[in-house]
Amino acid sequence: MTDILDKNGLDEEQFLTAYKPGDYVKPSVAADMVIFSVFDIENNNYRKLPEKELRVLLIQRSGHPYIGCWALPGGFVEPDETTEQAAARELKEETGIDGIYLEQLYTFSDPGRDPRTWVMSCSYMALADSSRLSVKAGDDAKRAEWFSVSLKEITVKEDRNGNTLDKTMIYSLQLKGPDKILTAKILQNYHRSDMGCENIYDVLECDGLAFDHAKIITYAIQRLRGKVEYTDIALNLMPEYFTLTQLQQVYELILDRELIKAPFRRKYGILAEPTDKLTADKGHRPSRLFRRKWL
């Protein structure tokens, strides 16, 4: 406490005694999780390496609002926890695991994003090896399923004027589940000038996804694509032992483009260290297994 008086002649103790929290509208705060993992796609050719698929975990809502629609797993932050603690708790409740890669994504606070009340979403991105995940639906979820995710840029408009850049992009988001395909169109407006940068996302169309979660997923994919270029974040999606070809498959999934083998290994091979283990797949020459190199 301090004895310094404010403009009303109150010291800090007097100010806090008279303070009325109800004078200000309080938002509810949620922690929503974008949980990415990579799965092998089964094929009938044992001589061919299995292809891989990037997936995101969604839950089907069992109550209003958006009953029956699919949403990101998450929940409200409790009064006695931080948003980080809430995210970790929700992650464990929805997947049955903890101790995986987790980072704060963005705070989504658009008015009207939740029809119930003013709800701000402090979103998080998690990356995990699929073999470590045991998914279960929470209390407010009817089902929990993995959806393959695809984000394509369909239009782009760019305007440069000196040091100012205005760029407008429209993305097509598709999420394919076991018996449902969800789609959305997302608008991204990017403005850069000497004063700084502004990056705004809006949902233009959406079919089957609750709230503004199509926007959150798009934001997470863009963050993931950006970070794989200069960090080892993709290694969080790998099992303990893997081949460099499998690592390249994961990078190609995230970046949505083919990569040339030699340059890829020069740039990203330093992120892994060789072991004395070899693959034992039938129909293939044994390949050296690698593991993550902790830098």
Side-chain angles (χ1 to χ4, degrees):
M1 297 292 182
T2 175
D3 294 330
I4 299 176
L5 304 183
D6 64 11
K7 62 182 180 180
N8 296 315
L10 302 176
D11 61 23
E12 187 171 329
E13 183 176 1
Q14 293 170 327
F15 167 80
L16 292 175
T17 300
Y19 185 77
K20 297 179 181 179
D23 289 346
Y24 300 93
V25 179
K26 295 184 180 65
S28 298
V29 180
D32 291 312
M33 306 294 303
V34 186
I35 306 171
F36 289 118
S37 193
V38 171
F39 290 76
D40 286 339
I41 303 175
E42 298 294 333
N43 62 61
N44 296 323
N45 186 348
Y46 73 93
R47 292 185 178 276
K48 186 178 179 181
L49 290 174
E51 295 182 1
K52 295 185 180 296
E53 195 172 66
L54 182 66
R55 298 181 186 176
V56 63
L57 182 65
L58 299 178
I59 58 102
Q60 188 176 31
R61 293 184 56 80
S62 60
H64 294 297
Y66 295 102
I67 188 170
C69 290
W70 292 87
L72 294 168
F76 289 103
V77 180
E78 300 293 340
D80 61 346
E81 63 184 357
T82 65
T83 56
E84 287 80 6
Q85 291 168 336
R89 171 178 55 77
E90 290 291 341
L91 180 62
K92 188 170 185 179
E93 290 175 358
E94 296 292 349
T95 67
I97 65 167
D98 55 8
I100 66 172
Y101 181 86
L102 180 70
E103 72 169 61
Q104 187 174 130
L105 189 63
Y106 191 75
T107 299
F108 294 86
S109 57
D110 291 351
R113 59 175 303 275
D114 190 312
R116 291 170 293 189
T117 186
W118 182 19
V119 179
M120 298 171 62
S121 172
C122 191
S123 60
Y124 287 79
M125 178 173 68
L127 307 178
D129 166 26
S130 59
S131 66
R132 297 181 57 196
L133 299 174
S134 175
V135 174
K136 61 180 180 179
D139 293 338
D140 62 346
K142 187 176 180 181
R143 294 167 57 194
E145 299 285 356
W146 288 100
F147 282 68
S148 65
V149 58
S150 170
L151 183 69
K152 305 285 187 182
E153 185 179 272
I154 54 177
T155 64
V156 58
K157 180 180 178 181
E158 190 172 300
D159 182 22
R160 293 180 181 270
N161 184 10
N163 293 330
T164 300
L165 170 64
D166 287 289
K167 194 173 182 180
T168 300
M169 292 150 286
I170 296 179
Y171 296 95
S172 172
L173 176 67
Q174 183 182 90
L175 301 162
K176 186 176 182 180
D179 53 13
K180 182 72 173 179
I181 296 178
L182 312 175
T183 60
K185 283 187 179 179
I186 310 297
L187 173 69
Q188 179 187 5
N189 283 314
Y190 175 80
H191 174 76
R192 187 190 69 207
S193 68
D194 293 337
M195 301 298 293
C197 297
E198 185 178 40
N199 205 11
I200 299 174
Y201 289 78
D202 287 305
V203 179
L204 299 179
E205 300 175 11
C206 188
D207 179 20
L209 272 168
F211 307 104
D212 57 353
H213 289 185
K215 179 166 66 173
I216 299 177
I217 294 170
T218 299
Y219 196 97
I221 295 171
Q222 296 290 65
R223 167 76 65 84
L224 183 57
R225 287 176 176 173
K227 292 196 72 170
V228 295
E229 298 280 11
Y230 64 92
T231 73
D232 63 350
I233 189 174
L235 275 295
N236 294 289
L237 294 166
M238 305 304 297
E240 183 178 4
Y241 299 103
F242 52 87
T243 68
L244 292 182
T245 297
Q246 291 169 336
L247 182 62
Q248 182 171 337
Q249 284 180 299
V250 170
Y251 271 79
E252 290 176 336
L253 273 180
I254 295 170
L255 296 171
D256 194 31
R257 68 174 188 266
E258 291 186 5
L259 301 172
I260 301 173
K261 181 178 178 180
F264 172 82
R265 295 194 174 191
R266 283 197 299 270
K267 183 175 182 179
Y268 299 108
I270 62 172
L271 302 178
E273 58 185 10
T275 71
D276 58 0
K277 299 179 183 293
L278 298 174
T279 58
D281 298 329
K282 295 179 180 179
H284 304 287
R285 290 179 55 189
S287 298
R288 179 71 58 190
L289 287 172
F290 289 72
R291 63 186 173 192
R292 182 175 190 169
K293 182 190 293 183
W294 293 98
L295 303 177

Short mmCIF file of all heavy atoms in Angstrom, two decimals, residues 137-178:
data_model
loop_
_atom_site.label_atom_id
_atom_site.label_comp_id
_atom_site.label_asym_id
_atom_site.label_seq_id
_atom_site.Cartn_x
_atom_site.Cartn_y
_atom_site.Cartn_z
N ALA A 137 -14.28 -37.25 -25.46
CA ALA A 137 -15.15 -36.08 -25.48
C ALA A 137 -15.39 -35.59 -24.05
O ALA A 137 -15.58 -36.38 -23.13
CB ALA A 137 -16.48 -36.42 -26.15
N GLY A 138 -15.39 -34.26 -23.87
CA GLY A 138 -15.66 -33.68 -22.57
C GLY A 138 -17.15 -33.65 -22.25
O GLY A 138 -17.98 -34.16 -23.01
N ASP A 139 -17.49 -33.06 -21.11
CA ASP A 139 -18.89 -33.05 -20.64
C ASP A 139 -19.83 -32.35 -21.60
O ASP A 139 -20.99 -32.74 -21.73
CB ASP A 139 -18.97 -32.39 -19.25
CG ASP A 139 -18.27 -33.21 -18.18
OD1 ASP A 139 -18.10 -34.43 -18.41
OD2 ASP A 139 -17.90 -32.65 -17.15
N ASP A 140 -19.36 -31.28 -22.26
CA ASP A 140 -20.24 -30.51 -23.14
C ASP A 140 -20.10 -30.93 -24.60
O ASP A 140 -20.56 -30.24 -25.50
CB ASP A 140 -19.97 -29.01 -23.01
CG ASP A 140 -18.55 -28.64 -23.42
OD1 ASP A 140 -17.72 -29.56 -23.56
OD2 ASP A 140 -18.28 -27.44 -23.61
N ALA A 141 -19.48 -32.08 -24.84
CA ALA A 141 -19.24 -32.55 -26.21
C ALA A 141 -19.99 -33.85 -26.46
O ALA A 141 -20.01 -34.75 -25.63
CB ALA A 141 -17.76 -32.75 -26.45
N LYS A 142 -20.59 -33.92 -27.64
CA LYS A 142 -21.27 -35.14 -28.06
C LYS A 142 -20.28 -36.15 -28.61
O LYS A 142 -20.37 -37.35 -28.34
CB LYS A 142 -22.32 -34.78 -29.12
CG LYS A 142 -23.23 -35.91 -29.54
CD LYS A 142 -24.26 -35.39 -30.52
CE LYS A 142 -25.20 -36.50 -30.98
NZ LYS A 142 -26.20 -35.98 -31.95
N ARG A 143 -19.32 -35.65 -29.39
CA ARG A 143 -18.28 -36.48 -29.99
C ARG A 143 -16.98 -35.69 -30.06
O ARG A 143 -16.99 -34.46 -30.02
CB ARG A 143 -18.66 -36.92 -31.41
CG ARG A 143 -19.84 -37.82 -31.52
CD ARG A 143 -20.32 -37.92 -32.98
NE ARG A 143 -19.29 -38.37 -33.91
CZ ARG A 143 -19.40 -38.27 -35.24
NH1 ARG A 143 -20.47 -37.71 -35.78
NH2 ARG A 143 -18.44 -38.72 -36.01
N ALA A 144 -15.88 -36.40 -30.18
CA ALA A 144 -14.57 -35.79 -30.43
C ALA A 144 -13.94 -36.56 -31.57
O ALA A 144 -13.82 -37.79 -31.50
CB ALA A 144 -13.70 -35.83 -29.18
N GLU A 145 -13.54 -35.85 -32.63
CA GLU A 145 -13.00 -36.51 -33.82
C GLU A 145 -11.84 -35.71 -34.39
O GLU A 145 -11.77 -34.49 -34.24
CB GLU A 145 -14.08 -36.66 -34.91
CG GLU A 145 -15.28 -37.49 -34.53
CD GLU A 145 -15.01 -38.98 -34.52
OE1 GLU A 145 -13.87 -39.38 -34.89
OE2 GLU A 145 -15.90 -39.75 -34.12
N TRP A 146 -10.94 -36.43 -35.08
CA TRP A 146 -9.86 -35.78 -35.82
C TRP A 146 -10.32 -35.48 -37.23
O TRP A 146 -10.88 -36.33 -37.91
CB TRP A 146 -8.64 -36.69 -35.86
CG TRP A 146 -7.94 -36.81 -34.55
CD1 TRP A 146 -8.03 -37.83 -33.65
CD2 TRP A 146 -7.04 -35.86 -33.98
NE1 TRP A 146 -7.25 -37.59 -32.55
CE2 TRP A 146 -6.62 -36.39 -32.73
CE3 TRP A 146 -6.52 -34.63 -34.40
CZ2 TRP A 146 -5.72 -35.71 -31.90
CZ3 TRP A 146 -5.64 -33.96 -33.57
CH2 TRP A 146 -5.23 -34.50 -32.35
N PHE A 147 -10.08 -34.25 -37.68
CA PHE A 147 -10.44 -33.80 -39.02
C PHE A 147 -9.17 -33.45 -39.78
O PHE A 147 -8.32 -32.70 -39.28
CB PHE A 147 -11.33 -32.56 -38.97
CG PHE A 147 -12.78 -32.82 -38.63
CD1 PHE A 147 -13.15 -33.27 -37.37
CD2 PHE A 147 -13.77 -32.62 -39.58
CE1 PHE A 147 -14.47 -33.51 -37.06
CE2 PHE A 147 -15.10 -32.85 -39.29
CZ PHE A 147 -15.46 -33.30 -38.03
N SER A 148 -9.02 -34.00 -41.00
CA SER A 148 -7.91 -33.56 -41.84
C SER A 148 -8.15 -32.10 -42.22
O SER A 148 -9.29 -31.68 -42.42
CB SER A 148 -7.80 -34.43 -43.10
OG SER A 148 -8.94 -34.26 -43.92
N VAL A 149 -7.07 -31.33 -42.31
CA VAL A 149 -7.21 -29.90 -42.50
C VAL A 149 -6.47 -29.46 -43.75
O VAL A 149 -5.34 -29.89 -44.02
CB VAL A 149 -6.72 -29.12 -41.25
CG1 VAL A 149 -5.28 -29.46 -40.93
CG2 VAL A 149 -6.89 -27.63 -41.43
N SER A 150 -7.13 -28.59 -44.53
CA SER A 150 -6.54 -28.04 -45.75
C SER A 150 -6.88 -26.55 -45.81
O SER A 150 -8.03 -26.17 -45.65
CB SER A 150 -7.08 -28.76 -46.99
OG SER A 150 -6.70 -28.10 -48.17
N LEU A 151 -5.85 -25.73 -46.03
CA LEU A 151 -6.04 -24.28 -46.17
C LEU A 151 -5.38 -23.84 -47.47
O LEU A 151 -4.16 -23.95 -47.64
CB LEU A 151 -5.43 -23.53 -44.99
CG LEU A 151 -5.64 -22.00 -45.01
CD1 LEU A 151 -7.10 -21.66 -44.77
CD2 LEU A 151 -4.75 -21.33 -43.96
N LYS A 152 -6.20 -23.35 -48.42
CA LYS A 152 -5.71 -22.93 -49.72
C LYS A 152 -5.99 -21.45 -49.94
O LYS A 152 -7.09 -20.96 -49.63
CB LYS A 152 -6.40 -23.73 -50.84
CG LYS A 152 -6.29 -25.24 -50.71
CD LYS A 152 -4.91 -25.74 -51.08
CE LYS A 152 -4.87 -27.26 -51.11
NZ LYS A 152 -3.51 -27.77 -51.42
N GLU A 153 -5.02 -20.75 -50.50
CA GLU A 153 -5.21 -19.36 -50.89
C GLU A 153 -5.90 -19.34 -52.26
O GLU A 153 -5.39 -19.91 -53.22
CB GLU A 153 -3.87 -18.65 -50.96
CG GLU A 153 -3.95 -17.17 -51.25
CD GLU A 153 -2.58 -16.52 -51.29
OE1 GLU A 153 -2.10 -16.10 -50.23
OE2 GLU A 153 -1.99 -16.48 -52.38
N ILE A 154 -7.07 -18.70 -52.34
CA ILE A 154 -7.82 -18.72 -53.61
C ILE A 154 -7.78 -17.38 -54.33
O ILE A 154 -7.87 -17.34 -55.55
CB ILE A 154 -9.27 -19.19 -53.40
CG1 ILE A 154 -9.99 -18.36 -52.33
CG2 ILE A 154 -9.31 -20.65 -53.04
CD1 ILE A 154 -11.44 -18.76 -52.14
N THR A 155 -7.64 -16.28 -53.62
CA THR A 155 -7.47 -14.98 -54.27
C THR A 155 -6.52 -14.12 -53.45
O THR A 155 -6.44 -14.26 -52.22
CB THR A 155 -8.80 -14.20 -54.44
OG1 THR A 155 -9.33 -13.88 -53.15
CG2 THR A 155 -9.81 -15.01 -55.23
N VAL A 156 -5.79 -13.26 -54.13
CA VAL A 156 -4.90 -12.34 -53.43
C VAL A 156 -4.84 -11.03 -54.21
O VAL A 156 -4.79 -11.02 -55.44
CB VAL A 156 -3.49 -12.95 -53.26
CG1 VAL A 156 -2.89 -13.32 -54.61
CG2 VAL A 156 -2.56 -12.00 -52.51
N LYS A 157 -4.87 -9.92 -53.50
CA LYS A 157 -4.77 -8.60 -54.10
C LYS A 157 -3.75 -7.80 -53.30
O LYS A 157 -3.84 -7.71 -52.07
CB LYS A 157 -6.13 -7.88 -54.08
CG LYS A 157 -6.10 -6.50 -54.70
CD LYS A 157 -7.48 -5.85 -54.65
CE LYS A 157 -7.45 -4.44 -55.23
NZ LYS A 157 -8.79 -3.78 -55.16
N GLU A 158 -2.78 -7.24 -54.01
CA GLU A 158 -1.69 -6.54 -53.33
C GLU A 158 -1.54 -5.13 -53.89
O GLU A 158 -1.60 -4.92 -55.09
CB GLU A 158 -0.39 -7.33 -53.52
CG GLU A 158 0.76 -6.84 -52.68
CD GLU A 158 1.97 -7.77 -52.75
OE1 GLU A 158 1.82 -8.95 -52.38
OE2 GLU A 158 3.03 -7.29 -53.21
N ASP A 159 -1.36 -4.17 -52.98
CA ASP A 159 -1.20 -2.77 -53.38
C ASP A 159 -0.03 -2.18 -52.61
O ASP A 159 -0.06 -2.10 -51.38
CB ASP A 159 -2.48 -1.99 -53.09
CG ASP A 159 -2.39 -0.52 -53.53
OD1 ASP A 159 -1.54 -0.23 -54.41
OD2 ASP A 159 -3.14 0.31 -53.00
N ARG A 160 1.01 -1.77 -53.34
CA ARG A 160 2.20 -1.18 -52.72
C ARG A 160 2.28 0.31 -53.06
O ARG A 160 2.06 0.70 -54.21
CB ARG A 160 3.47 -1.88 -53.19
CG ARG A 160 3.61 -3.32 -52.73
CD ARG A 160 4.89 -3.94 -53.25
NE ARG A 160 5.03 -5.31 -52.82
CZ ARG A 160 5.64 -5.70 -51.69
NH1 ARG A 160 6.19 -4.78 -50.91
NH2 ARG A 160 5.72 -6.97 -51.38
N ASN A 161 2.61 1.10 -52.06
CA ASN A 161 2.79 2.54 -52.26
C ASN A 161 3.90 3.01 -51.33
O ASN A 161 3.68 3.29 -50.16
CB ASN A 161 1.49 3.28 -51.97
CG ASN A 161 1.59 4.77 -52.26
OD1 ASN A 161 2.58 5.23 -52.84
ND2 ASN A 161 0.59 5.53 -51.85
N GLY A 162 5.14 3.05 -51.88
CA GLY A 162 6.28 3.40 -51.04
C GLY A 162 6.52 2.32 -50.02
O GLY A 162 6.67 1.13 -50.35
N ASN A 163 6.55 2.69 -48.73
CA ASN A 163 6.76 1.73 -47.65
C ASN A 163 5.44 1.13 -47.14
O ASN A 163 5.44 0.36 -46.18
CB ASN A 163 7.49 2.39 -46.48
CG ASN A 163 8.92 2.77 -46.84
OD1 ASN A 163 9.54 2.10 -47.67
ND2 ASN A 163 9.42 3.83 -46.23
N THR A 164 4.34 1.47 -47.79
CA THR A 164 3.04 0.96 -47.37
C THR A 164 2.63 -0.23 -48.23
O THR A 164 2.77 -0.21 -49.45
CB THR A 164 1.96 2.06 -47.48
OG1 THR A 164 2.33 3.16 -46.64
CG2 THR A 164 0.61 1.52 -47.03
N LEU A 165 2.16 -1.26 -47.58
CA LEU A 165 1.69 -2.46 -48.28
C LEU A 165 0.31 -2.83 -47.76
O LEU A 165 0.10 -2.96 -46.56
CB LEU A 165 2.65 -3.63 -48.05
CG LEU A 165 2.16 -5.01 -48.52
CD1 LEU A 165 1.97 -5.03 -50.04
CD2 LEU A 165 3.12 -6.11 -48.08
N ASP A 166 -0.64 -2.96 -48.68
CA ASP A 166 -1.97 -3.47 -48.35
C ASP A 166 -2.17 -4.76 -49.14
O ASP A 166 -2.02 -4.77 -50.36
CB ASP A 166 -3.05 -2.45 -48.72
CG ASP A 166 -3.07 -1.28 -47.76
OD1 ASP A 166 -3.48 -1.48 -46.60
OD2 ASP A 166 -2.67 -0.17 -48.16
N LYS A 167 -2.51 -5.82 -48.43
CA LYS A 167 -2.66 -7.12 -49.06
C LYS A 167 -3.95 -7.76 -48.57
O LYS A 167 -4.19 -7.84 -47.36
CB LYS A 167 -1.46 -8.01 -48.73
CG LYS A 167 -1.33 -9.26 -49.58
CD LYS A 167 0.00 -9.96 -49.28
CE LYS A 167 0.18 -11.18 -50.15
NZ LYS A 167 1.47 -11.88 -49.87
N THR A 168 -4.77 -8.19 -49.51
CA THR A 168 -6.03 -8.84 -49.18
C THR A 168 -6.01 -10.26 -49.75
O THR A 168 -5.74 -10.45 -50.93
CB THR A 168 -7.23 -8.08 -49.78
OG1 THR A 168 -7.24 -6.76 -49.25
CG2 THR A 168 -8.54 -8.78 -49.42
N MET A 169 -6.28 -11.24 -48.89
CA MET A 169 -6.26 -12.64 -49.30
C MET A 169 -7.55 -13.32 -48.85
O MET A 169 -8.08 -13.01 -47.77
CB MET A 169 -5.06 -13.37 -48.69
CG MET A 169 -3.72 -12.90 -49.24
SD MET A 169 -2.37 -13.04 -48.04
CE MET A 169 -2.73 -11.67 -46.94
N ILE A 170 -8.03 -14.24 -49.66
CA ILE A 170 -9.17 -15.07 -49.30
C ILE A 170 -8.71 -16.52 -49.31
O ILE A 170 -8.10 -16.97 -50.29
CB ILE A 170 -10.36 -14.87 -50.26
CG1 ILE A 170 -10.87 -13.43 -50.16
CG2 ILE A 170 -11.49 -15.85 -49.92
CD1 ILE A 170 -12.03 -13.12 -51.09
N TYR A 171 -8.99 -17.22 -48.24
CA TYR A 171 -8.58 -18.61 -48.08
C TYR A 171 -9.81 -19.53 -48.06
O TYR A 171 -10.87 -19.16 -47.56
CB TYR A 171 -7.80 -18.82 -46.78
CG TYR A 171 -6.50 -18.06 -46.72
CD1 TYR A 171 -6.44 -16.81 -46.12
CD2 TYR A 171 -5.33 -18.59 -47.25
CE1 TYR A 171 -5.25 -16.10 -46.05
CE2 TYR A 171 -4.14 -17.89 -47.19
CZ TYR A 171 -4.10 -16.66 -46.59
OH TYR A 171 -2.93 -15.96 -46.53
N SER A 172 -9.60 -20.72 -48.59
CA SER A 172 -10.60 -21.78 -48.49
C SER A 172 -10.12 -22.78 -47.46
O SER A 172 -9.04 -23.37 -47.60
CB SER A 172 -10.78 -22.46 -49.86
OG SER A 172 -11.61 -23.60 -49.73
N LEU A 173 -10.91 -22.95 -46.41
CA LEU A 173 -10.59 -23.90 -45.34
C LEU A 173 -11.51 -25.10 -45.46
O LEU A 173 -12.73 -24.95 -45.54
CB LEU A 173 -10.78 -23.23 -43.98
CG LEU A 173 -10.59 -24.12 -42.74
CD1 LEU A 173 -9.12 -24.57 -42.61
CD2 LEU A 173 -11.04 -23.39 -41.47
N GLN A 174 -10.91 -26.30 -45.47
CA GLN A 174 -11.71 -27.52 -45.51
C GLN A 174 -11.24 -28.46 -44.41
O GLN A 174 -10.05 -28.69 -44.24
CB GLN A 174 -11.60 -28.23 -46.86
CG GLN A 174 -12.49 -29.48 -46.95
CD GLN A 174 -12.36 -30.21 -48.27
OE1 GLN A 174 -11.52 -31.10 -48.45
NE2 GLN A 174 -13.19 -29.82 -49.23
N LEU A 175 -12.21 -28.98 -43.66
CA LEU A 175 -11.94 -29.93 -42.60
C LEU A 175 -12.76 -31.19 -42.89
O LEU A 175 -13.99 -31.13 -42.95
CB LEU A 175 -12.33 -29.34 -41.24
CG LEU A 175 -11.61 -28.04 -40.86
CD1 LEU A 175 -12.35 -27.32 -39.75
CD2 LEU A 175 -10.18 -28.32 -40.44
N LYS A 176 -12.06 -32.30 -43.07
CA LYS A 176 -12.73 -33.54 -43.46
C LYS A 176 -12.65 -34.55 -42.33
O LYS A 176 -11.57 -34.98 -41.93
CB LYS A 176 -12.09 -34.11 -44.73
CG LYS A 176 -12.82 -35.32 -45.29
CD LYS A 176 -12.19 -35.77 -46.61
CE LYS A 176 -12.95 -36.96 -47.19
NZ LYS A 176 -12.34 -37.40 -48.47
N GLY A 177 -13.83 -34.91 -41.78
CA GLY A 177 -13.89 -35.88 -40.72
C GLY A 177 -14.37 -37.23 -41.20
O GLY A 177 -14.54 -37.46 -42.40
N PRO A 178 -14.63 -38.16 -40.28
CA PRO A 178 -15.05 -39.51 -40.66
C PRO A 178 -16.35 -39.52 -41.47
O PRO A 178 -16.51 -40.34 -42.37
CB PRO A 178 -15.22 -40.22 -39.31
CG PRO A 178 -14.40 -39.43 -38.35
CD PRO A 178 -14.47 -38.02 -38.82
#
